[in-house]
Every structure is written in structure tokens, then in C-alpha cells.
Amino acid sequence: MIQGELIGLRARHDSDIPVLHSELYEDVATRSRGDSRPWQPISAASGHSPFVVPGPSDEAACFSVVELESQELAGEALLWGIDTHSRTAHLGLALRPAFRGRGLAVDIVHTLCEYGFLVRGFQRLQLETLTDNTPMLAAAARAGFVLEGTLRRAAWAYGGYADQAVLGLLSDEWKPREIKPTR
């Protein structure tokens, strides 16, 4: 597990899938704002849930997010679209409704950066989010991401087009958090 201050990123457990599927995938309106793929009715038990991690992949690193204090499953986080040649990746996260508004997203972004820059040796991380996703924009800014542009009407989000912000962070711009000594 990679630990932040409030959260830990760990491998996906089979028991995580029905919870994430129920709370993050079955909320069609919210899911359509965070995923460019169209929502389809998929059962969590079908083996085709988007939260199933088939195995190690060169294209993505998928984590379950655990709140450290409660040890509860808080959501998912991932680096996707990994380009090992250019050493870049995209960053994404989704929190269960009960865990939103607690400042966890900032810690998740910081911890994903730590994984991407220190563990994987990436030179650039990028994220895309709708321009009205104020919590994600704030979390990214607090981690050092810079707004690089706006893609006008680039996302179809539950019945309408929305603008998408593109943010980036380079490894030499990233400021790691101070590492606390372990006991």
C-alpha cells in the first residue's frame, strides 16, 4: 500500500467491486460526467464491471482508495493511458458519495503523483475534468497541476456538451510532501 496522509492506495480486492460498482457506476448521471465511454447496463457480478482489474497492465495502474482512519473503502484511483516510451500517464479518481467533501481528493492526487513520479519514473502526469468540477480542479491545483487549456464542448455529459479542462504536472515541477519517519 502507498500511504498518503489520509488515504492509502492498494490493490483492488474482489470485495471492492460490488461496492464501487453500486455507488460509482450505477449513478448514471455522475458516471457520465467522469467517463468518456457511454454508460451501459452491466452487472457487477458479470465480470465486466469497469472496476474489475484483470491483472497487471502496462497501460494502467488501478488502485482502491482506503481511508486510513476508518480503513473503509473510499473509492478508486488510477493512472491510465500510460506511455512507457514518453514516460507519461493520465490521472483519475472517483470517491464514494459518503467520502466526498472530506479533503481526500487532494491527498489522492498527491499520492498518485508520488507513485507516478517516484515509483514509476514518469516525467509528466495529466488529468482531464469538466470545467465545472470545482473539487477536482482545486485538488489538482493544490498538488501543483497547471491548467494547460480548455477543450470547448469536448465532453458529452448526460444530455449536454460540457467544456473539459486539461491540466498537467511535470516531474521537475512536482513538490513531494515531506516524508514522515516510520515507527
Side-chain angles (χ1 to χ4, degrees):
M1 177 184 293
I2 299 173
Q3 288 191 340
E5 295 175 357
L6 303 171
I7 60 89
L9 301 180
R10 65 159 167 76
R12 181 84 31 90
H13 296 168
D14 288 341
S15 60
D16 298 343
I17 295 167
V19 175
L20 294 173
H21 192 91
S22 171
E23 294 190 33
L24 298 178
Y25 188 77
E26 292 298 333
D27 178 354
V28 179
T30 301
R31 180 69 182 194
S32 73
R33 292 177 49 78
D35 195 329
S36 61
R37 298 168 292 190
W39 186 90
Q40 300 178 47
I42 299 171
S43 164
S46 70
H48 298 291
S49 170
F51 302 102
V52 171
V53 179
S57 166
D58 289 336
E59 288 83 37
C62 303
F63 300 96
S64 286
V65 177
V66 176
E67 183 184 47
L68 294 176
E69 183 177 334
S70 68
Q71 288 299 300
E72 287 186 68
L73 175 66
E76 73 155 344
L78 66 154
L79 294 182
W80 59 276
I82 294 173
D83 179 339
T84 56
H85 177 72
S86 297
R87 296 181 19 232
T88 63
H90 298 257
L91 178 150
L93 66 95
L95 288 168
R96 295 172 56 201
F99 293 88
R100 296 176 189 156
R102 296 188 190 183
L104 300 180
V106 175
D107 198 32
I108 294 167
V109 173
H110 275 290
T111 308
L112 282 171
C113 288
E114 180 179 327
Y115 174 74
F117 292 133
L118 296 182
V119 176
R120 297 293 299 263
F122 294 137
Q123 62 90 23
R124 174 188 168 78
L125 293 175
Q126 177 175 314
L127 68 88
E128 301 84 18
T129 190
L130 300 183
T131 56
D132 65 355
N133 187 348
T134 307
M136 187 66 216
L137 291 169
R142 287 187 57 194
F145 279 80
V146 175
L147 179 64
E148 295 179 336
T150 300
L151 306 175
R152 299 177 302 144
R153 295 181 56 179
W156 178 253
Y158 205 71
Y161 287 102
D163 293 348
Q164 191 173 53
V166 178
L167 298 99
L169 180 62
L170 303 178
S171 60
D172 58 357
E173 298 170 337
W174 179 61
K175 293 177 180 51
R177 293 179 288 193
E178 187 175 310
I179 297 174
K180 297 175 184 169
T182 56
R183 300 177 206 234

